[in-house]
Amino acid sequence: GAVVSQHPSWVICKSGTSVKIECRSLDFQATTMFWYRQFPKQSLMLMATSNEGSKATYEQGVEKDKFLINHASLTLSTLTVTSAHPEDSSFYICSASSPGLAADTQYFGPGTRLTVL
Amino acid sequence: GEDVEQSLFLSVREGDSSVINCTYTDSSSTYLYWYKQEPGAGLQLLTYIFSNMDMKQDQRLTVLLNKKDKHLSLRIADTQTGDSAIYFCAESPPDDSWGKLQFGAGTQVVVTP
């Protein structure tokens, strides 16, 4: 199947700093990438959908000024958590897809564990 | 809460079959998916089924779809310890924007020797 990578796999930062997470589709071009957040023992919560070259669409309740998403190319999307606080600590997962893929499948990255001190 | 519902926990002995059940909400969903998540990792696509199919088999995995009851199941034959993980079912409601998935809460499967 298609491969999606995320970097970093884990990050610890101080409260008030910004953190950037990269999501890359390694062997296919992803017109659409999705960003999820997952709390322990819970399902994935969709934060936003990003289409290459256009602004991201955020889900209700997700602050777009706090979670900046950029999808500048067909293989890279970034999520920047600005002025991070301890409540932003979570597991962030991206996925990538394209209309040409079988069953409109989303392929997921391995996730990034963010801990804000 | 999630609109897609799954039982939260399943314990199974190694070598037995596992059956994970899911009920979904939108009868017009085009595809239904099963994903596997191991601790600290992302989601791995296991299989999917097109909505006009009743069954799909892929090696040890069998997916059954009952559209009338909006019920989806995943059967894992000859369950191994490496199958211990959280399993998520997901649907792709056509009314939502392209590609959006609705996930269930996940079923934690524990395989005991």
Side-chain angles (χ1 to χ4, degrees):
Chain A
V3 180
V4 176
S5 70
Q6 275 184 248
H7 178 80
S9 54
W10 59 270
V11 56
I12 301 172
C13 69
K14 291 184 179 179
S15 187
T17 60
S18 294
V19 174
K20 180 185 282 189
I21 303 170
E22 292 186 349
C23 177
R24 293 183 185 272
S25 57
L26 298 185
D27 53 1
F28 70 102
Q29 294 187 322
T31 54
T32 305
M33 288 186 172
F34 302 85
W35 286 96
Y36 295 85
R37 187 172 178 175
Q38 186 180 31
F39 292 103
K41 299 192 185 302
Q42 293 189 26
S43 188
L44 281 72
M45 182 192 82
L46 179 65
M47 299 174 66
T49 303
S50 79
N51 292 295
E52 184 265 339
S54 60
K55 289 184 180 180
T57 302
Y58 290 82
E59 295 299 301
Q60 195 171 6
V62 178
E63 297 176 60
K64 62 180 180 181
D65 294 330
K66 180 163 187 64
F67 298 100
L68 300 178
I69 291 171
N70 183 281
H71 191 167
S73 79
L74 287 171
T75 58
L76 174 64
S77 176
T78 59
L79 167 68
T80 302
V81 183
T82 61
S83 186
H85 288 94
E87 58 266 28
D88 299 323
S89 298
S90 191
F91 193 55
Y92 292 88
I93 307 176
C94 73
S95 71
S97 190
S98 181
L101 294 177
D104 301 336
T105 303
Q106 287 185 33
Y107 290 94
F108 285 79
T112 297
R113 172 77 57 195
L114 171 63
T115 302
V116 185
L117 302 177
Chain B
E2 287 86 12
D3 295 323
V4 178
E5 296 186 352
Q6 299 178 237
S7 52
L8 295 182
F9 185 80
L10 175 67
S11 179
V12 62
R13 293 177 68 171
E14 191 174 12
D16 289 349
S17 293
S18 311
V19 179
I20 308 166
N21 294 301
C22 170
T23 55
Y24 60 98
T25 57
D26 196 325
S27 59
S28 56
S29 290
T30 307
Y31 295 103
L32 295 130
Y33 308 85
W34 283 104
Y35 284 89
K36 175 184 180 183
Q37 185 179 35
E38 298 186 40
L43 273 67
Q44 171 195 353
L45 176 68
L46 285 179
T47 188
Y48 62 86
I49 187 167
F50 190 49
S51 58
N52 68 351
M53 298 171 66
D54 297 324
M55 186 184 84
K56 179 180 180 181
Q57 187 154 1
D58 184 359
Q59 298 183 332
R60 291 192 297 123
L61 306 179
T62 303
V63 178
L64 296 178
L65 175 60
N66 181 329
K67 285 191 71 174
K68 174 177 171 290
D69 295 335
K70 295 185 214 169
H71 184 264
L72 181 74
S73 69
L74 174 69
R75 178 177 180 270
I76 306 173
D78 187 25
T79 312
Q80 303 298 306
T81 54
D83 295 323
S84 292
I86 299 176
Y87 291 79
F88 293 94
C89 68
E91 62 173 340
S92 57
D95 291 341
D96 280 341
S97 56
W98 180 86
K100 280 181 70 171
L101 295 178
Q102 290 265 19
F103 283 92
T107 300
Q108 180 162 12
V109 173
V110 174
V111 182
T112 56

